[in-house]
Amino acid sequence: LSFLLLYLISCAPQKTAPLRIAFDVWAGNAPIVIAQEKGYFKANGVDVELLFRRDYGDSDKLYLRGEADASAEVYADTLMHDQDGISSVVVYVLDDSTSADSIIALPNYSSLSQLKGKLIGVGGINSFSHLFVLNALELAGVRESQARFLPVAAMDILSALENGTIQAGHTWEPITSQAQAKGYRVLAEAVDYPGLITDVVVFHKAVVESRPRDIQALVKSLVQAGNYIKNNRDSSIVMVASFMNITPDEVAKGFEGMRMADLDRNKEAFSPGGSLFSLYSSGKMISGFFVSRGQMMAYPDFTRIVDGRFIKKVV
């Protein structure tokens, strides 16, 4: 009898562990929240566990430590993580930042050129945040050696400005609007640097190889969530605000400051081409910057990092 029980147990279907997705407070992550709240993940047969954190750095650490299967992160950071040996695969584009990502400064600053010699807060040295600020400063005629940088989480930039720790810093909504309401100045926005700040969903390569059906179901769910947001903006804002514990107005400001990716945008992203919104083209631009600084030894193999098969199947 005991042998029969063991046999039956071994033949019983084993419950698959949920796909763990790490993400932070950012309106562009709305499709992840909506897909869970509206039951799209469940309807498509994939169990998902949301690992939500206030700060981007904290959610990204979960992924880097292997405590999350996937991460909602900035594509530039994905490329840097790959250089550091974290083999990741991009399966979906969430959004492109326009006015939401910004460099804000004390009220007495009116241009980036005034930041020479000043202390600027960035999400991390050699992070996408650092890349964004350096690009903006360079176009304003300020060399890297002419400014100083301090790692400050995007959610803490306003408080760092208020207590005098920094004179300027990179952040995004809802902090951008909060800072403007207090008189702080916006000196640069992501819209001036197309393709530089694209938010993506990435999985560890081993997870993609072992669970392609689950990832296909997840991508389909995110597409459905994107369609829901497009057609039900107000109710989506309320759901996201409640989940992230921020105000509906802050979510709305985030929506206004980005271009949320739909199916057509994802088709463009995963297609090699001249558009800066192709992950291949923007990846070359971003990597070129890191290579020139010595942070990357060579350009990554984008065919290994960018996997458009899941989007193609949805199409």
Side-chain angles (χ1 to χ4, degrees):
L1 181 60
S2 60
F3 286 112
L4 177 60
L5 287 173
L6 287 173
Y7 174 77
L8 291 174
I9 291 172
S10 67
C11 291
Q14 301 298 308
K15 182 176 175 58
T16 305
L19 288 177
R20 301 163 299 171
I21 305 179
F23 65 106
D24 66 309
V25 177
W26 165 234
N29 294 327
I32 299 172
V33 175
I34 297 300
Q36 185 81 315
E37 297 295 297
K38 295 297 294 181
Y40 296 140
F41 291 138
K42 184 177 181 180
N44 289 317
V46 59
D47 188 14
V48 173
E49 179 182 353
L50 304 187
L51 304 180
F52 175 68
R53 298 293 184 270
R54 174 179 178 269
D55 293 319
Y56 174 74
D58 291 337
S59 68
D60 211 36
K61 285 176 185 175
L62 291 175
Y63 179 72
L64 297 179
R65 293 196 298 254
E67 296 171 20
D69 302 301
S71 173
E73 63 182 32
V74 181
Y75 183 42
D77 282 348
T78 302
L79 300 178
M80 279 302 298
H81 296 336
D82 180 77
Q83 184 75 17
D84 295 334
I86 307 297
S87 187
S88 301
V89 178
V90 180
V91 301
Y92 188 80
V93 169
L94 288 162
D95 67 88
D96 300 291
S97 181
T98 54
S99 62
D101 276 86
S102 62
I103 299 173
I104 57 175
L106 296 173
N108 55 312
Y109 293 94
S110 58
S111 69
L112 291 170
S113 60
Q114 293 177 296
L115 296 181
K116 287 182 180 179
K118 307 305 179 184
L119 190 58
I120 305 171
V122 295
I125 303 302
N126 296 325
S127 65
F128 89 93
S129 175
H130 194 197
L131 169 66
F132 170 53
V133 172
L134 288 177
N135 267 266
L137 290 175
E138 184 177 294
L139 289 176
V142 181
R143 297 190 302 274
E144 181 178 2
S145 60
Q146 294 177 308
R148 297 177 296 144
F149 303 92
L150 180 70
V152 179
M155 295 293 115
D156 297 327
I157 287 292
L158 178 55
S159 59
L161 285 168
E162 290 178 320
N163 63 30
T165 303
I166 58 175
Q167 287 75 57
H170 164 235
T171 188
W172 51 79
E173 293 291 357
I175 303 302
T176 298
S177 292
Q178 293 174 11
Q180 285 181 292
K182 293 187 175 184
Y184 293 94
R185 303 285 290 272
V186 172
L187 302 185
E189 295 179 336
V191 69
D192 299 319
Y193 314 94
L196 188 61
I197 302 181
T198 297
D199 295 307
V200 296
V201 175
V202 301
F203 277 86
H204 288 292
K205 184 179 180 181
V207 179
V208 174
E209 292 175 345
S210 63
R211 302 181 64 175
R213 289 186 179 179
D214 285 339
I215 293 174
Q216 184 66 66
L218 180 136
V219 170
K220 180 182 179 182
S221 301
L222 293 178
V223 171
Q224 291 174 319
N227 289 335
Y228 179 87
I229 295 169
K230 186 176 181 179
N231 297 316
N232 303 274
R233 187 176 184 275
D234 291 343
S235 61
S236 298
I237 287 173
V238 171
M239 273 189 277
V240 174
S242 176
F243 184 93
M244 295 187 177
N245 195 29
I246 57 179
T247 69
D249 185 58
E250 288 171 337
V251 177
K253 291 276 187 174
F255 280 5
E256 292 167 6
M258 67 176 175
R259 178 172 69 143
M260 188 171 290
D262 56 12
L263 191 55
D264 286 338
R265 169 68 185 96
N266 270 274
K267 287 165 61 180
E268 177 186 19
F270 288 97
S271 301
S275 167
L276 278 178
F277 293 108
S278 161
L279 293 174
Y280 295 89
S281 298
S282 63
K284 289 177 182 177
M285 173 187 68
I286 294 165
S287 301
F289 180 84
F290 286 130
V291 168
S292 69
R293 289 171 48 79
Q295 267 77 50
M296 284 185 177
M297 299 302 294
Y299 285 81
D301 178 3
F302 299 108
T303 61
R304 178 173 51 82
I305 299 172
V306 179
D307 193 342
R309 62 178 150 151
F310 302 105
I311 283 295
K312 287 180 180 178
K313 285 184 179 179
V314 173
V315 174

